[in-house]
């Protein structure tokens, strides 16, 4: 049975080929010849039944694939690259070609196939829109944003018109807003297409509420007559208009919904009361599309009473006399008392507090008078209510559309005031939970978290934070770029979110503050959720895909033609850390008095370094430094755009001897066809001039895993020299002080590696105990750990070598840290709870059960038992420990850095 839409268009086939089936086609084409053959054999019979009109109206890339599958031979499609070329080109940013007044896609085989196949149709001409601001001024609604077609530059006002149109229900005539194009360079900065200019894609539109009022009045008359014919009273109705933009640009005409609100005040536009009880409100749908609503307040909240047993809500139905009906809270129908009064009808809704406090989600309140449609209860002039009941609170609040929402939850901190004092952000508010939290947590989407003290006086609290100088183990670092959410951890262990007081939202200062080249904003998103937003301040020509494209394709190649400088660039983990063997090499050169130019690449303001020039990752200076510096020292892969010059020296220190399979030895790297990362690795490795190795064993593994044919220096790892340095005791004491460790208990460092197949798992398998101090350091590729009580999370500590230095025992699994730690002579416990699974999925280079420097344990209880008797455990594995050290770390004697510096710089 076929589902046919308007105009005979087969809606089922169109939806399938444009959506899930089309996506499966793209996926199968990339998976090799066998999958392509299966695709062609299965798809051809189906395509023979699809209407030509459906095929003609498909998006251009799918249209081209369908045509090729139907007309080309099997061998060309299966064994050749015909289909792959189309899918690959379609995945790139849109390229468009104009012929006369029509636009065409720049895709493969354009010179071989009929031009109509490449013509851009309605499915391809979907505008990209974004709304920057919505506000009322002088009784008119003003909307500011930008709209453009991807791949179609908008460089000026010429031949560039736009109109915002509001389309209402059915027969109502649309509302055309007064619209004009404006200069909006931020559209170019935020675009995904390189080489395109959307500077004049901005628009501003203006709406007079009168345009809505007369249309809604006409609709009300028609609706009222219909109700009267059914012998029912007329009821004021809400009328909703969806916002679209229609624009013509360089011969292309497109229509699309206005979507995408900027975070902050644009997400919560205010309404305007045009006459008593009637409001015009711009609102956002769940899919972020803009609508304008003309809405009567048919039911208004007039009072709230709450005690430990009941919550009473009083609602007025103005101008309406009703004796019967009921209420609804979310999807639950509940009893209500309807009492006619001179002003209308008073409705009393009573809810049982013991039942309400068990609800998890907030629910909207509705009133359903008998014979009338349901009316959403509006907050109107009634104040919001927050009532404490035990350790929970019941709230009666208005949402972003002023509709009443009733909820019960753990008592939440509510921010009433946000003030900036220079670079310090001060948050003040109410938190009536006497037994509640005393610290506020800032959490990044990556899992990184800072804990700030919350000064509490009665129900009031105050939190001070300086986003540009957050404490990280005794050093001041800025908040990382991105969005930071706020919460508190209740003593019960529950995470309680922080919210904004709704009455404080109109005056909330959401303007950015710039400190040290970084921008900080406190924004209330999703109506009342406060977040701190951080980003680096970049010049306009470095922003977005367009800026990166210019730097990579124009600026960097030009710099590679310039003479080299006698400078050294140091990069650790893309600029995230000042650590590892790269740090050791840099500090050794400074110790020797090397006065050459030293450059450290820093990402996101992650660290400060004395004695070197710091360059922001991704900046113009970053490209120039990698193009023109004689030496580059790194511990991981460099940016994809980097290509080593013949007269440059790239020193790859790598980040340890691998226990798990890396490089070409990983299962996914052996697939056919090769994944993109295989080609990326091959290009990177060709640029290495020197690779450091910890041992002869590691040399063989690294050479095979990377297919590296160049020079390898078996120097040992410079990062481990600190473990054997003469001043290690003094340095360890300083690190213990920074970490707040006690001197009377041993320190256990738990440092597992990451799981490719379980990266979101944040559980810590090793329990804490009272006879040792537990440090937990998860791999950066794993989710941030949920550290047990009594343990210290050191995942964000910058240099692992410092942690190895203070540890008395290392507990690890398949991490390279076991090869480093044996230089200390201290015990190692291998906690491999998933050894067989990990070996099967990722693969290991050594047999841990036979070669590990300590016992291989499978449960946390076994590890704790071994720690209780660690001296006996270490003694029983002493021979294996020494054999492991001799095989895997023979040159970690404290002189590895000197060997490297002597070898390269003499």
């Amino acid at each position: 049975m076929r589902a046919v839409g308007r105009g005979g268009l087969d809606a089922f086939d169109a939806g399938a080929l444009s959506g899930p089936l089309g996506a499966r086609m793209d996926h199968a084409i990339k998976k090799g010849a066998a999958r392509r053959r299966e695709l062609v054999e299965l798809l051809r019979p189906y395509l023979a039944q699809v209407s030509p009109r459906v095929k003609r109206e498909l998006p251009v890339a799918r249209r081209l694939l369908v045509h090729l599958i139907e007309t080309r031979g099997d061998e060309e499609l299966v064994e050749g690259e015909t289909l792959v070329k189309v899918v690959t080109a379609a995945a790139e940013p849109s390229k468009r070609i104009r012929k006369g007044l029509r636009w065409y896609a720049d895709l493969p085989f354009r010179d071989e196939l009929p031009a109509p196949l490449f013509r851009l149709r309605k499915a391809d001409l979907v505008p990209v829109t974004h709304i920057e601001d919505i506000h009322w001024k002088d009784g008119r609604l003003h909307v500011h944003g930008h709209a453009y077609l991807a791949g179609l530059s908008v460089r000026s006002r010429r031949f560039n018109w736009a109109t915002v149109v509001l389309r209402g229900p059915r027969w109502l005539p649309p509302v055309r807003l007064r619209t004009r194009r404006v200069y909006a360079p931020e559209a170019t900065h935020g675009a995904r297409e390189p080489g395109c200019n959307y500077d004049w894609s901005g628009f501003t539109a203006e709406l007079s509420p009168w345009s809505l009022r007369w249309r809604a009045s006409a609709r009300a008359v028609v609706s009222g007559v219909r109700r009267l014919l059914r012998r029912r009273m007329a009821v004021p109705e809400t009328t909703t208009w969806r916002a679209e933009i229609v624009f013509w640009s360089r011969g292309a005409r497109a229509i699309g919904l206005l979507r995408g609100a900027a975070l902050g005040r644009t997400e919560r536009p205010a309404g305007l009361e045009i006459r008593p009880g009637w409001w015009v409100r711009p609102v956002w749908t769940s899919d972020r599309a803009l609508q304008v609503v003309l809405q009567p307040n048919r039911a208004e909240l007039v009072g709230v009473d709450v005690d430990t047993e009941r919550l009473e809500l009083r609602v007025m139905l103005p101008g309406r006399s009703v004796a019967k009906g009921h209420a609804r809270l979310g999807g639950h129908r509940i009893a209500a008392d309807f009492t006619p009064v001179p002003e209308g009808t008073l409705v009393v809704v009573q809810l049982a507090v013991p039942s309400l406090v068990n609800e998890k989600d907030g629910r909207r309140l509705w009133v359903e008078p008998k014979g009338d449609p349901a009316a959403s209860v509006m907050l109107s002039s009634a104040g919001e209510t927050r009532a404490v009941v035990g350790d929970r609170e019941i709230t009666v609040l208005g949402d972003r559309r002023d509709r009443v929402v009733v909820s019960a939850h753990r008592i939440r901190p509510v921010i009433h005031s946000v003030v900036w004092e220079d670079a310090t952000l001060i948050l003040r508010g109410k938190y009536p939970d006497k037994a509640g939290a005393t610290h506020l947590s800032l959490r990044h989407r990556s899992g990184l978290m800072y804990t700030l003290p919350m000064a509490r006086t009665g129900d009031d609290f105050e939190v001070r934070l300086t986003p540009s100088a957050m404490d990280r183990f005794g050093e001041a670092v800025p908040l990382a770029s991105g969005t930071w959410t706020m919460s508190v951890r209740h003593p019960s262990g529950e995470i309680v979110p922080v919210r904004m007081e709704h009455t404080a939202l109109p005056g909330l200062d959401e303007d950015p503050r710039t400190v040290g080249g970084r921008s900080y904003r406190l924004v209330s998103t999703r109506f009342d959720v406060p977040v701190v937003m951080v980003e680096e301040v970049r010049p306009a020509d470095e922003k977005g895909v367009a800026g990166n494209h210019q730097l990579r394709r124009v600026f960097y190649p030009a710099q590679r033609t310039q003479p080299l400088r006698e400078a050294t660039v140091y990069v650790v983990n893309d600029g995230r850390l000042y650590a590892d063997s790269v740090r050791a090499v840099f500090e050794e050169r400074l110790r020797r008095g090397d006065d050459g130019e030293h450059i450290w690449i820093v990402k996101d303001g992650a660290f400060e370094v004395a004695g070197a020039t710091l360059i922001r990752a991704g900046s113009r200076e970053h490209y120039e430094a990698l193009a023109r510096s004689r030496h580059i020292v790194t511990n991981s892969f460099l940016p994809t755009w980097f290509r080593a010059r013949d007269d440059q020296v790239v020193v790859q220190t790598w980040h340890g001897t691998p226990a798990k399979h890396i490089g070409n030895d990983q299962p996914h790297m052996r697939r056919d066809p090769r994944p993109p990362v295989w080609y990326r690795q091959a290009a990177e490795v060709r640029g290495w001039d020197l690779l450091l190795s910890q041992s002869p064993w590691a040399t063989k593994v690294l050479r095979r895993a990377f297919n590296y044919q160049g020079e390898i220096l078996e120097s040992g790892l410079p990062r481990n020299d600190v473990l054997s340095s003469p001043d290690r005791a003094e340095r360890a004491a300083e690190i213990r002080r920074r970490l707040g460790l006690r001197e009377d208990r041993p320190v256990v460092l738990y440092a597992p590696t990451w799981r490719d197949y379980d990266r979101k798992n944040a559980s810590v398998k090793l329990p804490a105990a009272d006879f040792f101090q537990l440090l937990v350091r998860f791999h950066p590729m794993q989710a941030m750990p949920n550290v047990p009580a009594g343990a210290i999370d050191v995942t964000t500590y910058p240099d692992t070598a410092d942690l190895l230095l203070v540890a008395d025992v290392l507990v690890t699994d398949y991490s390279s840290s076991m090869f480093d730690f044996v230089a200390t002579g201290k015990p190692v416990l291998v906690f491999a709870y998933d050894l067989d699974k990990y070996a099967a999925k990722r693969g290991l280079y050594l047999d841990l059960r036979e070669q590990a420097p300590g016992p291989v344990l499978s449960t946390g209880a076994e590890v704790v038992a071994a720690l209780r008797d660690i001296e006996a455990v270490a003694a029983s594995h002493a021979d294996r420990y020494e054999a492991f050290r001799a095989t895997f770390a023979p040159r970690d004697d404290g002189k590895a850095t000197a060997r490297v510096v002597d070898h390269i710089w003499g």
Side-chain angles (χ1 to χ4, degrees):
M1 180 175 178
R2 299 174 69 80
V4 179
R6 291 176 297 176
L9 179 65
D10 192 324
F12 174 81
D13 291 335
L17 289 170
S18 298
L21 180 56
R24 291 292 184 99
M25 289 167 55
D26 295 346
H27 183 73
I29 288 168
K30 292 187 260 186
K31 285 297 181 179
R35 295 292 296 275
R36 287 196 291 272
R37 184 178 299 279
E38 184 180 7
L39 171 71
V40 171
E41 292 175 353
L42 292 175
L43 200 58
R44 271 187 179 153
Y46 167 70
L47 293 177
Q49 304 175 34
V50 177
S51 163
R53 181 175 178 181
V54 171
K55 300 172 187 176
R56 186 171 60 251
E57 297 299 327
L58 289 174
V60 62
R62 299 277 165 78
R63 190 189 319 151
L64 181 56
L65 286 175
V66 166
H67 177 82
L68 291 171
I69 291 173
E70 288 187 313
T71 60
R72 297 291 176 97
D74 288 2
E75 289 306 309
E76 178 185 351
L77 298 176
V78 174
E79 302 297 337
E81 295 294 313
T82 299
L83 298 180
V84 176
K85 286 179 181 179
V86 175
V87 172
T88 303
E92 296 294 323
S94 303
K95 297 179 181 178
R96 304 169 189 260
I97 299 171
R98 181 177 174 180
K99 291 184 178 180
L101 295 179
R102 293 178 176 176
W103 286 89
Y104 299 84
D106 186 10
L107 291 174
F109 313 110
R110 191 165 49 85
D111 297 330
E112 306 174 21
L113 299 175
L117 274 176
F118 299 88
R119 184 180 173 186
L120 299 181
R121 300 184 183 274
K122 184 177 179 180
D124 304 293
L125 298 175
V126 178
V128 177
T129 62
H130 185 74
I131 310 301
E132 292 289 343
D133 186 33
I134 304 177
H135 66 273
W136 292 94
K137 182 179 179 181
D138 299 330
R140 292 175 175 267
L141 182 67
H142 294 258
V143 182
H144 302 277
H146 60 256
Y148 58 84
L149 286 174
L152 187 63
S153 292
V154 189
R155 293 188 174 90
S156 71
R157 285 179 172 175
R158 293 185 61 196
F159 308 112
N160 176 24
W161 302 276
T163 303
V164 174
V165 179
L166 301 182
R167 301 192 185 277
R170 298 183 183 177
W171 50 269
L172 281 185
V175 183
R176 288 177 173 82
L177 279 62
R178 182 184 301 172
T179 311
R180 60 187 177 89
R181 283 294 203 184
V182 296
Y183 184 65
E186 63 275 6
T188 302
H189 302 155
R192 299 180 180 180
E193 302 78 33
C196 291
N197 185 314
Y198 305 120
D199 287 357
W200 279 94
S201 66
F203 69 86
T204 178
E206 185 178 310
L207 170 67
S208 169
W210 171 249
S211 302
L212 307 180
R213 290 181 64 176
W214 74 259
R215 287 170 170 82
S217 298
R219 179 170 181 255
V221 169
V222 174
S223 176
V225 169
R226 288 174 176 171
R227 287 185 63 85
L228 289 174
L229 291 175
R230 295 197 298 267
R231 299 182 179 181
R232 293 185 178 181
M233 293 289 292
V235 176
E237 292 184 343
T238 297
T239 305
T240 301
W241 288 265
R242 68 179 185 275
E244 296 180 348
I245 188 162
V246 182
F247 63 87
W248 298 261
S249 182
R250 298 170 60 195
R253 182 178 185 272
I255 302 175
L257 294 175
L258 280 182
R259 298 180 185 272
L263 293 182
R265 61 175 64 92
T266 308
E267 295 180 287
R268 51 177 197 279
L272 177 69
E273 190 173 22
I274 55 176
R275 60 188 176 93
W278 284 83
W279 289 77
V280 176
R281 288 190 172 94
V283 298
W284 296 99
T285 64
S286 58
D287 60 348
R288 297 174 58 81
L290 178 64
Q291 293 181 343
V292 179
V293 176
L294 179 59
Q295 181 179 25
N297 283 3
R298 292 179 50 215
E300 298 179 347
L301 186 69
V302 293
V304 178
D305 289 324
V306 60
D307 56 33
T308 57
E309 297 298 327
R310 65 179 182 87
L311 169 66
E312 182 179 280
L313 304 167
R314 295 187 297 280
V315 179
M316 178 63 68
L317 306 181
R320 193 79 171 166
S321 181
V322 182
K324 294 182 180 180
H326 58 268
R328 276 197 293 119
L329 188 62
H332 300 289
R333 187 171 180 175
I334 53 180
D337 294 328
F338 286 70
T339 305
V341 295
E343 298 83 4
T345 301
L346 179 65
V347 182
V348 178
V349 181
Q350 294 193 0
L351 303 171
V353 167
S355 299
L356 189 61
V357 295
N358 293 323
E359 297 286 344
K360 293 184 178 181
D361 301 317
R363 300 178 185 274
R364 282 174 51 197
L365 181 64
W366 300 74
V367 172
E368 296 184 356
K370 185 176 180 180
D372 288 352
S376 181
V377 179
M378 311 302 289
L379 188 66
S380 190
S381 58
E384 297 182 325
T385 300
R386 299 178 187 270
V388 175
V389 179
D391 62 349
R392 300 178 71 80
E393 66 178 349
I394 294 176
T395 61
V396 182
L397 308 176
D399 66 4
R400 70 184 72 190
R401 295 176 63 171
D402 205 41
R403 300 171 300 192
V404 170
V405 177
V406 180
S407 60
H409 42 70
R410 181 79 68 179
I411 300 172
R412 294 173 175 173
V414 179
I415 298 173
H416 291 171
S417 168
V418 176
V419 178
W420 286 92
E421 288 186 1
D422 297 326
T424 300
L425 178 62
I426 304 173
L427 310 176
R428 298 187 178 97
K430 297 286 186 180
Y431 186 29
D433 190 346
K434 305 299 183 184
T438 57
H439 288 79
L440 181 141
S441 298
L442 280 178
R443 185 180 292 273
H444 193 263
R445 61 179 298 179
S446 66
L448 182 62
M449 184 173 69
Y450 289 97
T451 302
L452 305 165
M454 177 186 287
R456 300 188 59 183
T457 304
D459 291 347
D460 298 328
F461 74 85
E462 179 180 289
V463 176
R464 291 175 174 261
L465 67 126
T466 306
S468 58
M470 304 296 291
D471 180 70
R472 183 182 66 183
F473 302 107
E475 64 177 349
V477 297
L479 286 178
S481 294
T483 301
W484 294 79
T485 59
M486 300 183 188
S487 62
V488 297
R489 181 183 288 272
H490 192 269
S492 66
E494 182 179 347
I495 303 298
V496 181
V498 177
R499 291 291 182 258
M500 283 294 306
E501 172 61 38
H502 295 176
T503 57
L505 291 175
L508 179 63
D509 181 3
E510 296 183 330
D511 295 334
R513 301 299 194 278
T514 301
V515 181
R518 301 170 67 76
S519 171
Y520 304 94
R521 298 174 62 201
L522 186 134
V523 171
S524 184
T525 184
R526 294 186 309 230
F527 187 48
D528 61 356
V529 180
V531 297
V532 177
M533 299 182 64
V534 185
E535 64 178 352
E536 293 183 303
V537 177
R538 295 175 175 266
D541 59 358
E542 294 180 8
K543 290 182 178 179
V545 175
N548 287 335
H549 179 77
Q550 194 275 339
L551 290 173
R552 296 183 184 190
R553 300 296 180 87
V554 180
F555 180 76
Y556 178 67
Q559 289 298 308
R560 291 184 83 245
T561 65
Q562 300 297 313
L564 286 177
R565 301 198 312 267
E566 294 302 323
T568 304
V569 177
Y570 303 89
V571 191
V572 177
N573 291 17
D574 298 325
R576 292 183 177 90
L577 296 174
Y578 174 64
D580 215 88
S581 295
V582 180
R583 173 185 177 180
V585 170
F586 165 71
E587 292 180 349
E588 174 65 13
R589 293 184 68 191
L590 288 190
R591 189 188 65 79
R592 295 185 179 193
D594 188 328
D595 59 356
E597 185 180 3
H598 301 280
I599 300 170
W600 272 89
I601 304 301
V602 182
K603 188 167 187 175
D604 223 13
F607 55 85
E608 296 285 340
V609 179
T613 301
L614 303 186
I615 289 179
R616 175 172 52 82
S619 66
R620 184 173 295 268
E621 294 76 15
H622 182 194
Y623 286 82
E624 191 270 343
L626 286 186
R628 299 191 56 194
S629 296
R630 176 76 63 184
H631 293 90
I632 299 171
V633 185
T634 182
N635 76 330
S636 57
F637 287 173
L638 292 165
T640 55
W641 46 263
F642 172 75
R643 290 296 179 267
R645 294 166 61 168
D646 292 339
D647 45 358
Q648 281 183 313
V649 178
V650 178
V651 181
Q652 177 58 261
T653 69
W654 202 240
H655 39 273
T657 295
K660 56 183 176 290
H661 284 178
I662 62 170
N664 295 334
D665 294 333
Q666 297 178 81
H668 71 276
M669 297 288 275
R670 300 193 293 268
R671 289 200 307 253
D672 184 27
R674 301 294 190 193
V677 69
W678 187 93
Y679 296 97
R680 186 255 192 275
Q681 176 182 283
E684 168 85 18
V685 171
R686 282 195 297 269
W688 295 352
D689 295 286
L690 180 67
L691 175 61
L692 303 189
S693 170
Q694 194 173 9
S695 65
W697 183 89
T699 297
K700 297 176 183 178
V701 170
L702 294 171
R703 193 176 289 283
R704 181 181 71 247
F706 294 125
N707 192 26
Y708 175 65
Q709 306 303 319
E711 180 184 4
I712 294 182
L713 179 64
E714 292 178 2
S715 58
L717 293 185
R719 71 185 188 184
N720 294 335
D721 285 354
V722 66
L723 304 178
S724 306
S725 65
D727 64 343
R728 60 183 180 276
E730 293 81 2
R731 184 165 180 172
E734 171 61 19
I735 297 166
R736 281 175 172 266
R737 184 193 63 77
R738 290 175 61 184
L739 296 176
L741 297 174
R742 298 170 51 173
E743 295 292 338
D744 59 343
R745 289 186 184 177
V747 176
V748 176
L749 173 62
Y750 178 42
T753 191
W754 62 295
R755 271 71 177 160
D756 313 54
Y757 50 84
D758 197 19
R759 289 178 57 183
K760 294 184 179 180
N761 191 338
S763 62
V764 177
K765 304 294 184 180
L766 178 61
D770 57 4
F771 64 91
F772 62 83
Q773 300 173 91
L774 179 61
L775 305 181
V776 178
R777 184 180 181 85
F778 267 28
H779 194 282
M781 299 291 284
Q782 191 74 19
M784 292 293 288
N786 292 326
V787 175
I792 301 175
D793 183 3
V794 291
T795 299
T796 59
Y797 191 90
D799 200 338
T800 306
D802 288 351
L803 303 176
L804 297 178
L805 186 61
V806 301
D808 297 299
V809 182
L810 173 67
V811 180
T812 186
D813 44 21
Y814 326 110
S815 168
S816 63
S817 59
M818 80 169 77
F819 301 99
D820 301 334
F821 193 69
V822 293
T824 66
K826 298 175 184 178
V828 176
L829 302 180
V830 179
F831 182 20
Y833 57 86
D834 59 349
L835 177 56
D836 294 333
K837 181 178 181 179
Y838 194 92
K841 285 185 172 289
R842 177 69 184 252
L844 297 171
Y845 287 118
L846 66 164
D847 185 344
L848 286 177
R849 292 188 175 94
E850 297 296 328
Q851 296 176 276
V856 178
L857 309 169
S858 57
T859 67
E862 291 178 355
V863 176
V864 172
L867 290 171
R868 287 187 182 276
D869 196 16
I870 191 61
E871 293 184 2
V873 171
S876 65
H877 291 79
D879 292 342
R880 247 169 65 168
Y881 192 100
E882 289 305 318
F884 186 93
R885 183 173 183 174
T887 301
F888 300 104
R891 306 210 74 185
D892 282 355
D893 54 4
K895 301 176 182 178
T897 308
R899 286 191 281 267
V900 172
V901 174
D902 289 343
H903 183 84
I904 301 171
W905 289 277

